[in-house]
């Protein structure tokens, strides 16, 4: 259970960081780890006590057999060959008991692993940098990428000298071939990575000067491969806003065209999904992630292929929802869909890591 939960959290770490929910999951890991530690120590206590008793019983029993055989040999009541055979076979009689003790001792390995995990979760957070300030209100701020270059280790530049401007309440479409660097721009805005060269500016100030939490608090993100953590459907949507009411959760799901299939699940919004839970299709998972994004109601929304893996009818509804949301926030829309991009105020094409055009255009 601990391993599954920890792996689930690791897979969803980018999403948790984007929604400022990493600390809450760290607390949850603390609770799961503490339960695992308590259970492991109880098992080890039983293992050591039972192992000691079993070994002592087997040793005393073999000793009694040896004494009995010795006495019988001395008074002539038992032959040497028979006595030797009994002595050799006596330990084998108690071998299953020793194996039981060994299996109990094997559980000590689990305690060692739990100890290492607890050490990891006990690492204190990095001290806050005193000079970092709170991020400005992105509802009125202009965001700029100025001559930004980004390189992954050992690879050619994913972005090279890119300039991009996002003005308040503008919807900007980002198009281009796969691997051109569109998702890297999203990662830079989310501050999941930092530029190798160049600057990301907000009203002329470098984004590195702002606290990460205050920055991400104003962002909503739909990744290409959305992650659902183990929990109910409502809990996964409410990841964007833990205090959201059931009505707001249902409204966000309806806006993302997810309410229909959610209501059809065995327990509706209380159905457990994620690792070990109810399996969902890629399109259903994407619509839940889109509902999470809408619930966020953030000033800056980044949508990375929001209509991917959806059937035409659902894609049309999601496109209409995004079009209706236009103007409420600054939106960066990464997509190959010409229908979706047609609702953008401006389109920027990225090719081979460079921004080549910045105007309205149709997507082939």
């Amino acid at each position: 259970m601990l391993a599954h939960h920890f792996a689930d959290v690791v897979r969803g770490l980018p999403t948790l960081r984007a929604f400022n929910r990493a600390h809450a999951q760290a607390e949850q890991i603390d609770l799961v780890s503490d339960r695992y530690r308590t259970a492991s120590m109880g098992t080890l206590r039983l293992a050591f006590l039972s192992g000691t008793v079993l070994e002592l019983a087997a040793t005393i029993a073999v000793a009694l057999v040896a004494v009995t055989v010795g006495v019988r040999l001395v008074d002539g009541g038992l032959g040497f060959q028979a006595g030797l055979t009994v002595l050799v076979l006596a330990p084998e009689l108690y071998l299953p008991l020793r194996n039981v003790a060994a299996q109990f001792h094997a559980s000590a390995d689990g305690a060692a692993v739990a100890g290492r995990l607890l050490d990891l979760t006990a690492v204190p957070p990095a001290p806050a940098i005193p000079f970092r300030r709170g991020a400005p209100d992105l509802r009125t701020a202009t965001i700029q990428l100025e001559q930004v270059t980004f390189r992954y280790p050992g690879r050619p530049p994913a972005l090279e000298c890119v300039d991009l401007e996002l003005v308040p309440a503008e919807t900007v479409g980002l198009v281009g071939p796969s691997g051109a660097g569109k998702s890297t721009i999203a990662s830079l805005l989310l501050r999941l990575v930092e530029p190798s060269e160049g600057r990301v500016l907000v009203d002329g100030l470098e984004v590195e000067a702002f606290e990460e939490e205050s920055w991400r608090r104003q962002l909503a993100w739909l990744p290409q491969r959305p992650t659902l953590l183990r929990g109910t459907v409502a809990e996964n949507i409410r990841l964007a806003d833990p205090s959201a009411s059931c009505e707001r959760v249902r409204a966000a799901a309806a806006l993302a065209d997810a309410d229909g299939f959610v209501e059809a699940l065995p327990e509706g919004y209380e159905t457990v999904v994620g690792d070990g839970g109810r399996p969902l299709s890629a399109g259903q998972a994407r619509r839940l992630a889109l509902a999470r994004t809408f619930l966020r109601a953030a000033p800056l929304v980044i949508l990375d292929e929001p209509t991917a893996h959806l059937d035409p009818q659902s894609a049309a509804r999601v496109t209409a929802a995004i079009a209706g949301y236009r103007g409420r926030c600054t939106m960066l829309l990464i997509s190959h869909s010409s229908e979706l991009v047609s609702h953008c105020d401006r389109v920027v094409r990225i090719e081979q890591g460079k921004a080549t055009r910045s105007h309205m255009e149709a997507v082939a």
Side-chain angles (χ1 to χ4, degrees):
M1 180 63 182
L2 177 61
H4 288 168
H5 184 86
F6 190 75
D8 196 28
V9 170
V10 170
R11 283 195 296 267
L13 191 56
T15 301
L16 291 171
R17 290 184 62 192
F19 285 101
N20 272 342
R21 297 292 296 161
H23 292 304
Q25 284 298 319
E27 294 174 359
Q28 184 64 25
I29 289 178
D30 283 340
L31 294 175
V32 175
S33 299
D34 188 62
R35 290 198 298 267
Y36 184 80
R37 177 186 60 81
T38 302
S40 297
M41 294 308 297
T43 302
L44 288 173
R45 186 181 300 111
L46 178 61
F48 285 125
L49 289 176
S50 61
T52 302
V53 171
L54 291 173
E55 287 289 342
L56 180 60
T59 301
I60 292 175
V62 172
L64 290 175
V65 170
V67 171
T68 302
V69 169
V71 171
R72 298 288 298 274
L73 285 173
V74 170
D75 63 16
L78 183 67
F80 176 77
Q81 184 176 1
L84 182 61
T85 302
V86 171
L87 286 177
V88 171
L89 294 180
E92 297 299 321
L93 178 64
Y94 295 96
L95 182 60
L97 292 177
R98 287 195 171 92
N99 288 339
V100 170
Q103 293 301 321
F104 274 115
H105 292 168
S107 62
D109 294 338
V113 174
R116 288 195 293 270
L117 286 174
L118 290 172
D119 289 341
L120 288 174
T121 57
V123 174
I129 301 177
F131 64 85
R132 284 190 174 177
R133 66 185 75 178
D137 189 348
L138 297 185
R139 290 175 296 182
T140 57
T142 298
I143 303 170
Q144 292 177 301
L145 272 67
E146 183 181 88
Q147 293 292 294
V148 168
T149 296
F150 180 80
R151 298 181 181 87
Y152 292 101
R155 299 182 184 179
L159 294 175
E160 188 172 3
C161 299
V162 169
D163 291 315
L164 177 66
E165 183 177 71
L166 302 176
V167 300
E170 182 185 33
T171 299
V172 176
L174 203 60
V175 301
S178 298
K182 304 185 298 296
S183 294
T184 302
I185 291 178
S187 296
L188 287 167
L189 292 175
L190 290 164
R191 296 186 66 183
L192 298 177
V193 297
E194 300 293 342
S196 304
E197 299 173 16
R199 302 184 298 172
V200 179
L201 305 174
V202 182
D203 283 344
L205 299 176
E206 293 193 31
V207 72
E208 288 83 358
F210 307 132
E211 296 175 352
E212 290 185 358
E213 288 194 4
S214 66
W215 172 260
R216 294 197 183 109
R217 197 176 297 123
Q218 301 185 73
L219 271 66
W221 175 45
L222 175 65
Q224 285 188 21
R225 298 175 180 83
T227 300
L228 296 181
L229 302 177
R230 179 175 175 80
T232 66
V233 170
E235 288 171 344
N236 270 278
I237 297 176
R238 202 176 274 121
L239 183 67
D241 185 359
S243 63
S245 64
C246 294
E247 290 74 16
R248 287 186 57 202
V249 169
R250 292 175 183 271
L255 189 59
D257 192 37
D259 55 334
F261 81 83
V262 172
E263 293 290 354
L265 294 175
E267 299 179 38
Y269 285 86
E270 297 305 312
T271 302
V272 176
V273 296
D275 186 62
R278 175 85 176 186
L280 299 177
S281 69
Q284 290 173 334
R286 181 168 294 274
R287 278 179 280 173
L288 286 186
L290 185 61
R292 177 193 298 163
T293 303
F294 287 152
L295 182 66
R296 184 75 163 179
L300 175 59
V301 174
I302 301 172
L303 304 178
D304 197 346
E305 297 290 353
T307 57
H309 310 297
L310 297 183
D311 59 81
Q313 184 179 8
S314 295
R317 292 178 179 177
V318 171
T319 299
I322 293 174
Y325 206 73
R326 176 184 172 189
R328 301 184 189 181
C329 63
T330 305
M331 185 183 299
L332 182 66
L333 181 57
I334 302 172
S335 179
H336 290 94
S337 168
S338 57
E339 174 64 24
L340 193 57
V341 173
S342 67
H343 296 283
C344 295
D345 301 311
R346 181 163 51 94
V347 175
V348 176
R349 177 172 287 277
I350 303 294
E351 292 181 353
Q352 297 180 347
K354 297 181 180 180
T356 58
R357 286 190 292 276
S358 179
H359 54 77
M360 284 301 302
E361 59 182 20
V363 180

